[in-house]
Amino acid sequence: MESRVSERSASILQTARQVFEIEGSAVLALGERLNQTFVSAVDAILNCEGRVVVTGVGKSGHIARKIAATLASLGSPSIFLHAVEASHGDFGIVRTEDIVVVVSKSGETREILQLVQILRSRSVKIISITGDPHSHLARYSDIVLEVPVKREADHINLAPTASTTASLAMGDALAIAVAKERGFTEKDFALFHPGGTLGRRLLLKVEQLMHGGEENPVISQEESFETALFTVTDKRLGAVSAVNADGKLTGIITDGDIRRLLGKSPSSTVKNLYALKVKEVMTKNPKFIHRHRLATEALKMMEDHAITVLPVVDETDHPIGMVHIHDLVQAGIGESRRMKQRILED
């Protein structure tokens, strides 16, 4: 019985490996076929004054939708058009200044050819991604990106597998090449994905997360340590910024500082400790961050120096807020092992 199960497992794994091998070979073969035609397709999209409309039906339609999404996310205005729906009113999406990318393995699908005829009548430029360079679609296209495959990856050589993978890879290559030629950067990507992790990391500023105004714990360095303790407790951020007569940051007192000071002082001298001035017990020249810096920079500073709070200063070094490590975690900036440990210790 165990031998039979083992043979079955081996067979399943072998099938999967064959799929990877067939599809991987299909994609690698595309690189060897690339020529000036691909460059022409990239230039056509770069010079397009409208949008890139990507279309297809069936499995090719799913691939077309993904290509459209990739183009859009990398800075090329793009939209998906279902070839069947196009003949029932959706063709109004296409404008003469647009470019239409048609994805079709055979290049002979009836709905695709109907759409292509309309596109040609309106002088809309057509880029085809097809497995048959001699198909009617290829003949009607301005630019043909060939994606032939030797065989599909399934055991009966019928299901669109290697062919769709190859088409998807060609679409990705096109989108990425265009984005690189445009000088598309991480910051641009973040602007197109403001709700994602990268968007938050690259766009979120410290001043958007800091506790400012009445929530900002600030005290004169001439005040008593007792007053500082009450301020830390009242503001609930685990620290208080100390300032000089000009209102500039000179020091900080944290929860940790308070615990250490009280732990070292016998009960008979606690009253004397409370009477000390802030400037006598504060940590001088503390770490701080300017309000326009990225939240990720605050995160790195906290991790590098094993701290949980940072005073936030303006251009004149006046503390206008405070950011806590919890604020970064809640904003989804990051939650490393070291951050978790600091939060637990805090």
Side-chain angles (χ1 to χ4, degrees):
M1 180 66 179
E2 290 183 4
S3 175
R4 201 175 304 167
V5 171
S6 177
E7 289 177 4
R8 178 174 178 273
S9 297
S11 177
I12 290 173
L13 294 175
Q14 181 58 28
T15 297
R17 293 188 183 100
Q18 287 176 348
V19 171
F20 296 147
E21 182 179 345
I22 292 170
E23 296 198 2
S25 297
V27 171
L28 289 175
L30 295 181
E32 299 174 2
R33 300 179 63 90
L34 285 181
N35 53 34
Q36 188 62 34
T37 301
F38 183 82
V39 178
S40 298
V42 170
D43 287 339
I45 293 176
L46 287 172
N47 296 324
C48 177
E49 296 180 358
R51 300 164 302 173
V52 181
V53 180
V54 192
T55 187
V57 294
K59 301 300 186 295
S60 293
H62 296 310
I63 298 303
R65 188 184 295 275
K66 196 278 179 183
I67 293 173
T70 301
L71 283 163
S73 71
L74 291 176
S76 295
S78 181
I79 189 171
F80 170 72
L81 172 65
H82 196 288
V84 175
E85 298 299 328
S87 63
H88 294 278
D90 284 2
F91 189 79
I93 292 173
V94 183
R95 299 172 298 188
T96 54
E97 63 267 29
D98 294 336
I99 284 179
V100 177
V101 176
V102 183
V103 184
S104 174
K105 176 187 176 182
S106 69
E108 299 292 349
T109 307
R110 179 171 55 84
E111 294 87 354
I112 289 292
L113 296 182
Q114 287 178 346
L115 175 60
V116 168
Q117 291 292 348
I118 300 173
L119 293 172
R120 285 175 58 83
S121 70
R122 295 184 57 181
S123 300
V124 177
K125 180 164 283 191
I126 302 170
I127 298 175
S128 61
I129 298 177
T130 180
D132 186 352
H134 305 294
S135 63
H136 283 87
L137 170 61
R139 277 183 255 165
Y140 295 150
S141 300
D142 297 283
I143 300 172
V144 180
L145 298 178
E146 300 177 23
V147 287
V149 296
K150 291 182 178 179
R151 62 159 292 139
E152 298 292 2
D154 66 296
H155 64 292
I156 55 176
N157 192 25
L158 289 177
T161 47
S163 58
T164 50
T165 300
S167 295
L168 180 60
M170 181 62 77
D172 286 344
L174 189 61
I176 292 168
V178 170
K180 187 174 181 181
E181 285 298 302
R182 281 206 172 107
F184 195 80
T185 65
E186 283 188 348
K187 188 172 182 180
D188 295 321
F189 189 89
L191 290 170
F192 284 98
H193 302 77
T197 300
L198 181 62
R200 290 193 294 272
R201 283 182 171 274
L202 296 182
L203 298 178
L204 201 58
K205 302 290 182 64
V206 169
E207 63 183 345
Q208 296 173 266
L209 293 176
M210 73 180 189
H211 298 267
E214 292 297 319
E215 296 181 4
N216 182 28
V218 178
I219 193 172
S220 168
Q221 64 181 14
E222 302 299 330
E223 290 283 357
S224 68
F225 173 68
E226 182 179 19
T227 303
L229 190 154
F230 288 143
T231 303
V232 171
T233 303
D234 179 55
K235 299 300 183 180
R236 299 182 179 181
L237 287 176
V240 60
S241 298
V243 296
N244 60 18
D246 296 325
K248 293 189 176 183
L249 181 70
T250 55
I252 191 172
I253 297 178
T254 68
D255 273 341
D257 295 331
I258 294 170
R259 287 194 296 269
R260 284 187 288 273
L261 286 168
L262 295 178
K264 291 178 181 178
S265 303
S267 57
S268 60
T269 62
V270 168
K271 288 186 179 180
N272 294 333
L273 178 61
Y274 283 169
L276 291 175
K277 289 186 176 182
V278 168
K279 64 183 179 182
E280 297 178 83
V281 296
M282 70 185 186
T283 299
K284 298 178 181 178
N285 302 315
K287 301 298 178 185
F288 62 87
I289 192 164
H290 287 277
R291 65 177 180 177
H292 294 309
R293 307 305 295 181
L294 292 173
T296 49
E297 295 179 65
L299 166 64
K300 186 176 187 307
M301 194 177 296
M302 288 181 180
E303 288 194 317
D304 288 348
H305 299 284
I307 55 180
T308 58
V309 289
L310 272 178
V312 181
V313 301
D314 61 14
E315 291 75 9
T316 58
D317 292 336
H318 288 74
I320 58 171
M322 186 170 285
V323 62
H324 194 283
I325 201 166
H326 287 290
D327 303 320
L328 300 175
V329 173
Q330 291 175 359
I333 297 301
E335 190 174 354
S336 70
R337 195 176 308 165
R338 289 169 62 185
M339 285 179 67
K340 290 179 180 178
Q341 184 60 35
R342 291 300 301 167
I343 291 172
L344 290 173
E345 292 174 356
D346 191 41

